[in-house]
Amino acid sequence: MARQYPIQDYRNFGIMAHIDAGKTTTTERILYFTGKSYKIGETHDGASTMDFMDQEAERGITITSAATTCFWVDRDNKRHRLNIIDTPGHVDFTIEVERSLRVLDGAVCVLDSNQGVEPQTETVWRQGDKYNVPRIIFSNKMDKTGADFFMCVADIKDKLGARAVPLQIPIGAESDFRGVVDLIKMKAYTWEGDAKDAPMTEGEIPAELLDKANEFRGLMIEAAVEMDDAAMEAYLEGNEPDEATLRKLIRKATVTRAFYPMMCGSAFKNKGVQPLLDAVVDFLPSPVDREAYKGTDPKTGEDLPRKPSDAEPLAMIAFKIMSFEHVGSITFCRIYSGKLEQGMALANTSRGKKERAGRMYLMHAADREEIKEAFAGDIVALQGMKDIRTGETLCDPNKPVILEKMEFPEPVINLKIEPKTKADQEKMAIALNTMAVEDPSFRVTIDQESGETILRGMGELHLDIKVDILKRTYNVEANVGQPQVAYRETLARPADIDYTHKKQTGGTGQFARVKIKLEPNETGKGNVFESTIVGGAVPREYIPGVEKGVQGVWDSGVLIGFPIVDMKVTLHDGGFHEVDSSAIAFEIAARSAMKEGCEKGGIKILEPVMDVEVVTPGDFVGSIIGDINSRRGQIRNQEMRGNATVIRAYVPLANMFGYVSQLRSMSTGRASYTMQFAHYADVPRNVAEEVKAKYA
Ligand SMILES: Nc1nc2c(ncn2[C@@H]2O[C@H](COP(=O)(O)OP(=O)(O)OP(=O)(O)O)[C@@H](O)[C@H]2O)c(=O)[nH]1
């Protein structure tokens, strides 16, 4: 069967926003208007269709990024296939935002018209910049008290340094918000009442808005004609581009990110959503509007870009793995090139494994549709993949390629967890394994010495939710410890060690001698092991044993039991015994040499430092700054955002526990904060003593 929809008519897009700007509501209205969602669910009453996990519905935030397929008919009666990728807005889940941005072609950035650009709007905006994602801005909540569209336009320039070009202006605001003026058509679109089935009525622009509409239409046209010399010339001669040309120019500007079209409405009151869908189709890129996707040849390491075409060999990225009741694990993939058919053999080139395409689905908001084949540009859900992780490439085994990888941040918080019974122990192991596969920013480790299970994640809330899932979805009874900072250890000074491991107790003895040099590596460069042995002082087959010993010490740490980072180890000499040497002997020797070397060179403790942003009314600035200082924080800057003050600071994570409630009580609940991992830094001497006393 051939493809049903030309790739040019696909729109793979996401919706991004600060928490509570209305992303979920906007998504649901889109699903309603595209005819796929039959019931409008409100986020906070648990009936939402996108937020289908209990934990999300209860907390009223979106954690998972589900992909949803729907269709929109444009003004020429052409059906377009929309794949919506939901992205969460909470800082603890930036990883979800990043992975969504990696696989979508465009995005709608939802603002709260009363708040303008909020801290997380800024974060997701910058992430969008990182992945070159074209965007449309939707100024939502125009019905809310204090809603101000023009403030939002200015805010985007001030805070994001981005050029927003309104394609609409609002008709009324706050409780008087009635609709929008379309500056391309120069018509008014209004909705009578707030019902979801209220018809959209086209009419003339209200007289009192005509001047403003003309002013903004002028600005829009000026911005658009910059995209084309002929159009610019014609415009300078007094000829405005016609409607079709204007759309074409705006599309070009959007796709190349010359500017960001700006729309407005109220998702909640069902106003402005249909024009937003028209804009998605008119201006956001289709898969073919983006450059060829970067890839490398797994054998040669050479560049091997893949064009968005069915004629190219199959290549896709697994961007999300989720388990569903009765179905098991589902792998969401974006097909970049080629055609996928049921039963096809696949290569996971990132992992060097074979897979087979079993059942395949298109996911709609509440149901799924089984399909037999899929094409370049599609987002498909595959059932029954054997061994795959987020970010890995699946492709035609005869035309192997590895598509560009995703970056995952290191977890900064640890949580000890202890199952209550033996039965819980077994359930927990299976559950944690599934959860770690689903979320690459969540890791599980078993402490080698104590045998304890440690959950590692991006923040308190992140791990809180994992524990919740464990208890409720998997029915595991467990005792949970206090969240702990994920410290790191690193070498202070170089050290050279000559170590001999010798044992002679009946039977075969053990012998291994290693000479290793330990050096601090550049910050952030990670651990490196190198062997410069040439003359066979350590036979080649024993070198992996040495590396294993070194790695073991890196993993377990030597001072406080946290992993060692940024250390370079060079094996440059050694010795062996014809009979008594073995890989194990060399591993033991390397381990002891490492411990001796770390002691000689000295170990420093590193702690994660967070980039914290507090938004507060002016009255509380003094006490908030005082408090940050007392948390060993370092104020970076302070500026006004609307009528609020924004304080940015670096604060050690260790001193951020329970900050929510402290901030709340300092500001009578009016200040809010967000934070994300910034970097690791040396722990001051007095604090190091405390940390040692606690963990050593
Ligand atoms: N007045 C008004 N309220 C809205 C509008 N859109 C959404 N809301 C409300 O704002 C709140 C947050 O909306 P959500 O859609 O859950 O926002 P979100 O951005 O998905 O939030 P997270 O999932 O937590 O990131 C809810 O109480 C909505 O009912 C709107 O257009 N006008």
Side-chain angles (χ1 to χ4, degrees):
M1 226 177 84
R3 62 155 65 229
Q4 270 179 301
Y5 294 85
I7 192 166
Q8 293 82 349
D9 295 341
Y10 277 54
R11 297 291 178 272
N12 286 327
F13 72 104
I15 300 188
M16 52 200 238
H18 183 87
I19 310 151
D20 272 357
K23 196 176 55 235
T24 306
T25 312
T26 307
T27 309
E28 278 168 351
R29 290 328 189 244
I30 287 177
L31 296 176
Y32 174 77
F33 287 109
T34 55
K36 272 291 170 188
S37 170
Y38 304 103
K39 175 169 140 228
I40 291 199
E42 294 308 331
T43 339
H44 300 287
D45 67 11
S48 126
T49 46
M50 285 299 270
D51 293 340
F52 48 86
M53 289 169 75
D54 286 357
Q55 288 81 10
E56 295 185 33
E58 258 176 43
R59 286 165 203 257
I61 50 171
T62 315
I63 303 160
T64 46
S65 65
T68 307
T69 303
C70 57
F71 302 90
W72 185 242
V73 180
D74 72 6
R75 66 182 71 72
D76 301 322
N77 242 345
K78 193 153 81 173
R79 263 163 74 94
H80 292 261
R81 177 138 151 181
L82 311 184
N83 291 316
I84 307 174
I85 293 139
D86 191 29
T87 56
H90 196 280
V91 262
D92 276 3
F93 312 116
T94 43
I95 175 65
E96 297 273 355
V97 183
E98 293 238 359
R99 74 158 130 212
S100 310
L101 290 175
R102 171 70 174 74
V103 296
L104 46 76
D105 299 317
V108 173
C109 178
V110 177
L111 299 184
D112 178 335
S113 296
N114 162 255
Q115 295 292 318
V117 173
E118 298 176 80
Q120 274 289 292
T121 323
E122 206 170 324
T123 309
V124 294
W125 189 268
R126 310 256 178 253
Q127 285 169 331
D129 286 346
K130 180 169 153 197
Y131 289 96
N132 302 322
V133 175
R135 273 152 277 175
I136 291 173
I137 302 156
F138 181 63
S139 213
N140 186 37
K141 300 201 187 183
M142 275 306 299
D143 62 302
K144 195 177 148 190
T145 307
D148 185 344
F149 179 69
F150 300 102
M151 176 277 282
C152 291
V153 179
D155 220 26
I156 287 162
K157 181 159 179 265
D158 292 348
K159 299 208 187 100
L160 305 174
R163 187 172 178 201
V165 175
L167 307 186
Q168 300 175 332
I169 58 169
I171 302 175
E174 307 183 332
S175 60
D176 186 36
F177 178 66
R178 297 187 303 281
V180 297
V181 171
D182 178 327
L183 299 172
I184 299 177
K185 285 177 112 61
M186 284 303 266
K187 291 282 182 198
Y189 292 89
T190 50
W191 291 260
E192 196 65 49
D194 301 337
K196 58 182 190 288
D197 51 3
M200 178 171 87
T201 314
E202 185 182 283
E204 294 312 314
I205 300 172
E208 72 276 12
L209 282 179
L210 208 51
D211 283 349
K212 193 126 204 170
N214 278 319
E215 177 195 339
F216 276 87
R217 177 175 160 86
L219 293 173
M220 174 188 75
I221 294 179
E222 272 169 30
V225 295
E226 277 177 28
M227 302 310 298
D228 182 82
D229 289 348
M232 173 68 97
E233 242 167 74
Y235 178 67
L236 292 175
E237 283 161 15
N239 302 313
E240 285 188 350
D242 60 29
E243 198 183 312
T245 311
L246 197 49
R247 282 190 210 285
K248 217 182 286 169
L249 295 173
I250 295 172
R251 177 176 184 80
K252 185 171 175 194
T254 313
V255 169
T256 57
R257 300 192 298 126
F259 63 72
Y260 302 89
M262 185 143 172
M263 333 266 301
C264 63
S266 164
F268 186 62
K269 299 277 172 85
N270 301 296
K271 294 179 170 66
V273 180
Q274 300 98 319
L276 176 64
L277 281 163
D278 285 336
V280 164
V281 163
D282 282 342
F283 308 126
L284 286 185
S286 81
V288 287
D289 290 316
R290 305 205 64 194
E291 294 159 13
Y293 298 95
K294 283 186 203 145
T296 44
D297 185 323
K299 288 194 198 107
T300 63
E302 277 168 32
D303 284 351
L304 194 59
R306 281 293 160 80
K307 288 198 210 72
S309 152
D310 300 347
E312 292 259 306
L314 174 71
M316 54 190 181
I317 274 217
F319 68 94
K320 175 93 193 168
I321 297 161
M322 296 177 84
S323 29
F324 290 87
E325 228 179 317
H326 310 306
V327 188
S329 174
I330 291 279
T331 307
F332 286 84
C333 292
R334 152 121 198 204
I335 306 180
Y336 284 92
S337 60
K339 190 176 155 185
L340 172 69
E341 283 171 57
Q342 199 175 41
M344 230 167 137
L346 300 170
N348 175 342
T349 38
S350 313
R351 186 172 285 270
K353 297 251 164 157
K354 287 181 189 159
E355 294 279 359
R356 187 167 294 279
R359 292 205 157 164
M360 313 177 2
Y361 301 97
L362 273 191
M363 301 300 266
H364 302 295
D367 55 275
R368 52 178 192 274
E369 172 193 343
E370 194 165 351
I371 51 172
K372 299 282 175 214
E373 55 188 357
F375 304 87
D378 272 330
I379 290 181
V380 291
L382 302 179
Q383 193 180 344
M385 292 289 107
K386 286 184 296 206
D387 184 12
I388 189 162
R389 303 282 148 82
T390 299
E392 295 181 344
T393 302
L394 287 171
C395 64
D396 180 344
N398 300 317
K399 301 276 165 84
V401 64
I402 298 182
L403 296 175
E404 196 180 17
K405 288 218 175 71
M406 300 186 189
E407 285 169 33
F408 300 119
E410 273 296 306
V412 285
I413 291 231
N414 296 351
L415 193 64
K416 273 189 196 145
I417 184 160
E418 194 189 346
K420 287 198 176 148
T421 65
K422 188 97 178 110
D424 287 317
Q425 169 115 42
E426 278 157 26
K427 273 193 283 185
M428 186 172 92
I430 296 169
L432 288 178
N433 187 32
T434 309
M435 286 157 69
V437 168
E438 286 175 9
D439 179 355
S441 61
F442 173 63
R443 318 262 167 90
V444 180
T445 43
I446 309 286
D447 189 295
Q448 294 294 348
E449 276 153 36
S450 64
E452 288 165 321
T453 303
I454 298 164
L455 312 184
R456 300 164 58 212
M458 305 309 300
E460 272 179 289
L461 180 61
H462 187 208
L463 291 183
D464 235 23
I465 285 169
K466 298 297 174 194
V467 170
D468 222 30
I469 295 178
L470 206 54
K471 289 188 172 164
R472 291 204 286 171
T473 310
Y474 295 98
N475 296 315
V476 173
E477 295 271 334
N479 296 319
V480 179
Q482 288 299 315
Q484 285 175 348
V485 173
Y487 291 102
R488 293 285 177 267
E489 303 180 12
T490 198
L491 189 70
R493 291 166 304 273
D496 217 329
I497 300 294
D498 179 348
Y499 188 90
T500 304
H501 169 66
K502 205 171 2 174
K503 217 168 165 192
Q504 214 77 55
T505 44
T508 344
Q510 288 186 7
F511 183 92
R513 180 178 179 192
V514 292
K515 290 191 187 181
I516 57 173
K517 187 168 181 203
L518 284 56
E519 294 162 282
N521 202 3
E522 229 175 287
T523 307
K525 290 277 186 232
N527 290 325
V528 180
F529 173 79
E530 203 178 70
S531 161
T532 54
I533 301 274
V534 277
V538 176
R540 203 172 319 139
E541 65 264 35
Y542 298 142
I543 292 176
V546 177
E547 185 166 6
K548 203 165 160 208
V550 170
Q551 185 67 50
V553 174
W554 280 340
D555 291 345
S556 63
V558 292
L559 191 62
I560 51 166
F562 286 90
I564 295 177
V565 295
D566 299 334
M567 184 196 283
K568 189 176 171 204
V569 175
T570 312
L571 171 69
H572 57 87
D573 203 356
F576 68 105
H577 183 274
E578 286 298 345
V579 181
D580 292 346
S581 283
S582 65
I584 293 280
F586 272 95
E587 187 182 329
I588 297 170
R591 201 175 257 280
S592 304
M594 279 289 283
K595 287 187 180 158
E596 215 178 283
C598 288
E599 196 154 315
K600 196 168 162 198
I603 285 289
K604 291 191 293 186
I605 301 173
L606 301 176
E607 63 178 348
V609 174
M610 308 305 281
D611 185 355
V612 177
E613 184 171 286
V614 183
V615 183
T616 174
D619 310 355
F620 312 113
V621 170
S623 45
I624 290 172
I625 289 185
D627 178 66
I628 289 177
N629 286 330
S630 75
R631 290 171 187 269
R632 289 198 285 124
Q634 179 196 334
I635 306 288
R636 300 168 62 205
N637 64 35
Q638 185 183 330
E639 57 178 29
M640 293 305 288
R641 182 177 292 160
N643 56 1
T645 304
V646 180
I647 302 160
R648 290 192 73 163
Y650 283 139
V651 189
L653 176 63
N655 296 347
M656 284 303 288
F657 288 107
Y659 188 58
V660 184
S661 47
Q662 173 69 17
L663 186 65
R664 218 176 273 150
S665 72
M666 273 189 303
S667 66
T668 61
R670 293 181 60 205
S672 63
Y673 86 102
T674 51
M675 68 173 183
Q676 55 196 340
F677 171 70
H679 54 258
Y680 271 98
D682 287 5
V683 167
R685 192 176 295 248
N686 57 333
V687 181
E689 291 309 320
E690 281 170 31
V691 176
K692 263 192 264 178
K694 195 165 162 196
Y695 294 99

